[in-house]
Tab-separated table of all heavy atoms in Angstrom:
chain	number	residue	atom	x	y	z
A	178	VAL	N	-29.365	-10.998	49.930
A	178	VAL	CA	-29.597	-11.997	48.927
A	178	VAL	C	-30.375	-11.616	47.728
A	178	VAL	O	-30.149	-11.964	46.616
A	178	VAL	CB	-30.292	-13.293	49.692
A	178	VAL	CG1	-30.545	-14.396	48.629
A	178	VAL	CG2	-29.300	-13.781	50.768
A	179	ILE	N	-31.432	-10.756	48.000
A	179	ILE	CA	-32.336	-10.445	46.979
A	179	ILE	C	-31.924	-9.032	46.266
A	179	ILE	O	-31.565	-8.070	47.047
A	179	ILE	CB	-33.766	-10.222	47.672
A	179	ILE	CG1	-34.171	-11.529	48.245
A	179	ILE	CG2	-34.850	-9.855	46.666
A	179	ILE	CD1	-34.177	-12.716	47.446
A	180	ASN	N	-32.136	-9.019	45.075
A	180	ASN	CA	-31.885	-7.689	44.306
A	180	ASN	C	-33.222	-6.825	44.490
A	180	ASN	O	-34.302	-7.289	43.964
A	180	ASN	CB	-31.823	-8.044	42.828
A	180	ASN	CG	-31.668	-6.786	41.981
A	180	ASN	OD1	-32.207	-5.736	42.258
A	180	ASN	ND2	-30.804	-6.886	40.886
A	181	SER	N	-33.157	-5.822	45.356
A	181	SER	CA	-34.422	-5.222	45.711
A	181	SER	C	-35.068	-4.421	44.537
A	181	SER	O	-36.306	-4.240	44.509
A	181	SER	CB	-34.148	-4.240	46.845
A	181	SER	OG	-33.159	-3.243	46.502
A	182	LYS	N	-34.308	-4.059	43.446
A	182	LYS	CA	-34.870	-3.412	42.344
A	182	LYS	C	-35.778	-4.389	41.539
A	182	LYS	O	-36.847	-4.035	41.184
A	182	LYS	CB	-33.815	-2.983	41.397
A	182	LYS	CG	-34.182	-2.061	40.187
A	182	LYS	CD	-33.062	-2.010	39.166
A	182	LYS	CE	-32.185	-0.792	39.400
A	182	LYS	NZ	-31.326	-0.537	38.191
A	183	ILE	N	-35.334	-5.611	41.400
A	183	ILE	CA	-36.084	-6.667	40.771
A	183	ILE	C	-37.395	-6.998	41.635
A	183	ILE	O	-38.457	-7.160	41.154
A	183	ILE	CB	-35.315	-7.920	40.457
A	183	ILE	CG1	-34.139	-7.590	39.523
A	183	ILE	CG2	-36.127	-9.083	39.907
A	183	ILE	CD1	-34.568	-7.115	38.217
A	184	LEU	N	-37.145	-7.106	42.926
A	184	LEU	CA	-38.112	-7.423	43.970
A	184	LEU	C	-39.321	-6.440	43.729
A	184	LEU	O	-40.540	-6.836	43.665
A	184	LEU	CB	-37.607	-7.443	45.260
A	184	LEU	CG	-38.722	-7.611	46.431
A	184	LEU	CD1	-39.245	-9.015	46.299
A	184	LEU	CD2	-38.023	-7.366	47.690
A	185	ASN	N	-39.085	-5.077	43.708
A	185	ASN	CA	-40.009	-4.075	43.696
A	185	ASN	C	-40.713	-3.969	42.226
A	185	ASN	O	-41.789	-3.641	42.183
A	185	ASN	CB	-39.428	-2.765	44.056
A	185	ASN	CG	-38.964	-2.686	45.479
A	185	ASN	OD1	-39.567	-3.322	46.262
A	185	ASN	ND2	-37.952	-1.807	45.662
A	186	LYS	N	-39.930	-4.348	41.154
A	186	LYS	CA	-40.402	-4.215	39.905
A	186	LYS	C	-41.323	-5.517	39.451
A	186	LYS	O	-42.372	-5.263	38.956
A	186	LYS	CB	-39.263	-4.122	38.962
A	186	LYS	CG	-39.675	-4.042	37.428
A	186	LYS	CD	-38.473	-3.818	36.602
A	186	LYS	CE	-38.928	-3.847	35.115
A	186	LYS	NZ	-38.440	-5.084	34.356
A	187	ASP	N	-40.748	-6.647	39.860
A	187	ASP	CA	-41.413	-7.943	39.255
A	187	ASP	C	-41.854	-8.909	40.428
A	187	ASP	O	-42.519	-9.850	40.063
A	187	ASP	CB	-40.313	-8.652	38.404
A	187	ASP	CG	-40.060	-7.798	37.178
A	187	ASP	OD1	-40.815	-7.151	36.627
A	187	ASP	OD2	-38.774	-8.008	36.635
A	188	GLY	N	-41.587	-8.525	41.659
A	188	GLY	CA	-42.088	-9.395	42.656
A	188	GLY	C	-40.964	-10.309	43.277
A	188	GLY	O	-39.856	-10.287	42.712
A	189	GLY	N	-41.420	-11.037	44.205
A	189	GLY	CA	-40.389	-11.813	44.952
A	189	GLY	C	-40.349	-13.281	44.348
A	189	GLY	O	-40.675	-13.532	43.174
A	190	PHE	N	-39.934	-14.292	45.131
A	190	PHE	CA	-39.868	-15.715	44.798
A	190	PHE	C	-41.217	-16.217	44.309
A	190	PHE	O	-41.337	-16.966	43.345
A	190	PHE	CB	-39.280	-16.562	45.902
A	190	PHE	CG	-37.848	-16.416	46.165
A	190	PHE	CD1	-37.436	-15.743	47.308
A	190	PHE	CD2	-36.871	-16.938	45.236
A	190	PHE	CE1	-36.118	-15.590	47.553
A	190	PHE	CE2	-35.469	-16.672	45.479
A	190	PHE	CZ	-35.178	-16.069	46.607
A	191	LEU	N	-42.279	-15.824	45.004
A	191	LEU	CA	-43.590	-16.251	44.545
A	191	LEU	C	-44.383	-15.192	44.062
A	191	LEU	O	-44.852	-14.159	44.714
A	191	LEU	CB	-44.190	-16.786	45.859
A	191	LEU	CG	-43.542	-17.892	46.614
A	191	LEU	CD1	-44.070	-18.158	48.047
A	191	LEU	CD2	-43.560	-19.047	45.848
A	192	ARG	N	-44.455	-15.058	42.719
A	192	ARG	CA	-44.970	-13.986	42.044
A	192	ARG	C	-46.452	-13.981	41.814
A	192	ARG	O	-47.396	-13.256	42.269
A	192	ARG	CB	-44.348	-13.682	40.751
A	192	ARG	CG	-42.907	-13.318	40.788
A	192	ARG	CD	-42.216	-13.268	39.468
A	192	ARG	NE	-42.331	-14.497	38.796
A	192	ARG	CZ	-43.051	-14.699	37.571
A	192	ARG	NH1	-43.608	-13.584	37.060
A	192	ARG	NH2	-43.088	-15.811	37.001
A	193	LYS	N	-46.963	-15.126	41.074
A	193	LYS	CA	-48.405	-15.378	40.906
A	193	LYS	C	-49.011	-16.530	41.293
A	193	LYS	O	-50.286	-16.698	41.523
A	193	LYS	CB	-48.612	-14.996	39.292
A	193	LYS	CG	-48.442	-13.537	38.837
A	193	LYS	CD	-48.818	-13.510	37.409
A	193	LYS	CE	-48.692	-12.122	36.899
A	193	LYS	NZ	-48.976	-12.056	35.588
A	194	GLY	N	-48.321	-17.613	40.972
A	194	GLY	CA	-48.831	-19.022	41.195
A	194	GLY	C	-49.692	-19.474	40.093
A	194	GLY	O	-50.716	-20.118	40.372
A	195	VAL	N	-49.545	-18.966	38.969
A	195	VAL	CA	-50.453	-19.296	37.795
A	195	VAL	C	-49.774	-20.044	36.850
A	195	VAL	O	-48.656	-19.668	36.169
A	195	VAL	CB	-50.872	-17.861	37.110
A	195	VAL	CG1	-51.775	-18.110	35.906
A	195	VAL	CG2	-51.599	-17.025	38.131
A	196	THR	N	-50.410	-21.163	36.399
A	196	THR	CA	-49.817	-21.927	35.224
A	196	THR	C	-50.169	-21.437	33.939
A	196	THR	O	-51.274	-20.857	33.756
A	196	THR	CB	-50.556	-23.365	35.331
A	196	THR	OG1	-50.099	-23.991	36.698
A	196	THR	CG2	-49.872	-24.321	34.288
A	197	GLY	N	-49.206	-21.300	33.055
A	197	GLY	CA	-49.405	-20.827	31.634
A	197	GLY	C	-49.116	-19.324	31.514
A	197	GLY	O	-49.375	-18.814	30.342
A	198	ASP	N	-48.597	-18.708	32.516
A	198	ASP	CA	-48.289	-17.260	32.420
A	198	ASP	C	-47.220	-16.974	31.423
A	198	ASP	O	-46.958	-15.822	31.056
A	198	ASP	CB	-47.941	-16.829	33.838
A	198	ASP	CG	-48.019	-15.269	33.900
A	198	ASP	OD1	-48.939	-14.588	33.301
A	198	ASP	OD2	-47.019	-14.651	34.507
A	199	TYR	N	-46.473	-18.010	31.049
A	199	TYR	CA	-45.443	-17.905	30.014
A	199	TYR	C	-45.999	-17.117	28.805
A	199	TYR	O	-45.236	-16.432	28.158
A	199	TYR	CB	-44.839	-19.193	29.676
A	199	TYR	CG	-45.649	-20.090	28.858
A	199	TYR	CD1	-45.734	-19.968	27.457
A	199	TYR	CD2	-46.529	-21.015	29.371
A	199	TYR	CE1	-46.494	-20.819	26.710
A	199	TYR	CE2	-47.247	-21.879	28.689
A	199	TYR	CZ	-47.392	-21.733	27.335
A	199	TYR	OH	-48.156	-22.527	26.510
A	200	LYS	N	-47.300	-17.266	28.510
A	200	LYS	CA	-47.913	-16.698	27.349
A	200	LYS	C	-47.796	-15.150	27.453
A	200	LYS	O	-47.842	-14.466	26.391
A	200	LYS	CB	-49.400	-17.228	27.128
A	200	LYS	CG	-49.460	-18.588	26.919
A	200	LYS	CD	-50.956	-19.060	26.946
A	200	LYS	CE	-51.110	-20.617	26.966
A	200	LYS	NZ	-52.314	-20.987	27.559
A	201	ASN	N	-47.791	-14.639	28.706
A	201	ASN	CA	-47.740	-13.181	28.913
A	201	ASN	C	-46.197	-12.718	29.024
A	201	ASN	O	-46.087	-11.595	29.058
A	201	ASN	CB	-48.474	-12.878	30.146
A	201	ASN	CG	-49.909	-13.208	30.044
A	201	ASN	OD1	-50.536	-13.039	29.027
A	201	ASN	ND2	-50.488	-13.903	31.119
A	202	LYS	N	-45.342	-13.580	29.102
A	202	LYS	CA	-43.922	-13.214	29.471
A	202	LYS	C	-42.936	-13.613	28.278
A	202	LYS	O	-41.904	-12.844	28.080
A	202	LYS	CB	-43.438	-13.923	30.666
A	202	LYS	CG	-44.307	-13.648	31.893
A	202	LYS	CD	-44.057	-12.207	32.288
A	202	LYS	CE	-44.701	-11.989	33.732
A	202	LYS	NZ	-44.613	-10.594	34.101
A	203	LEU	N	-43.278	-14.617	27.433
A	203	LEU	CA	-42.235	-14.997	26.405
A	203	LEU	C	-42.782	-14.550	25.020
A	203	LEU	O	-44.036	-14.315	24.732
A	203	LEU	CB	-42.179	-16.389	26.400
A	203	LEU	CG	-41.609	-17.172	27.620
A	203	LEU	CD1	-41.630	-18.605	27.382
A	203	LEU	CD2	-40.235	-16.639	27.935
A	204	SER	N	-41.902	-14.240	24.096
A	204	SER	CA	-42.224	-13.916	22.723
A	204	SER	C	-42.702	-15.275	22.000
A	204	SER	O	-42.289	-16.351	22.494
A	204	SER	CB	-41.093	-13.282	22.081
A	204	SER	OG	-40.002	-14.345	21.787
């Protein structure tokens, strides 16, 4: 089910649990 390359690079379903992290991810 899971793309292991993405899992290892960016984490699983539950990455950080931080509100407002879009500021670090979006242009």
Side-chain angles (χ1 to χ4, degrees):
V178 176
I179 303 299
N180 180 327
S181 58
K182 185 193 273 188
I183 299 298
L184 176 70
N185 293 331
K186 180 178 176 249
D187 297 325
F190 287 105
L191 303 168
R192 294 175 305 114
K193 289 185 178 181
V195 176
T196 302
D198 194 43
Y199 70 87
K200 295 171 192 163
N201 301 314
K202 301 289 185 182
L203 298 176
S204 68

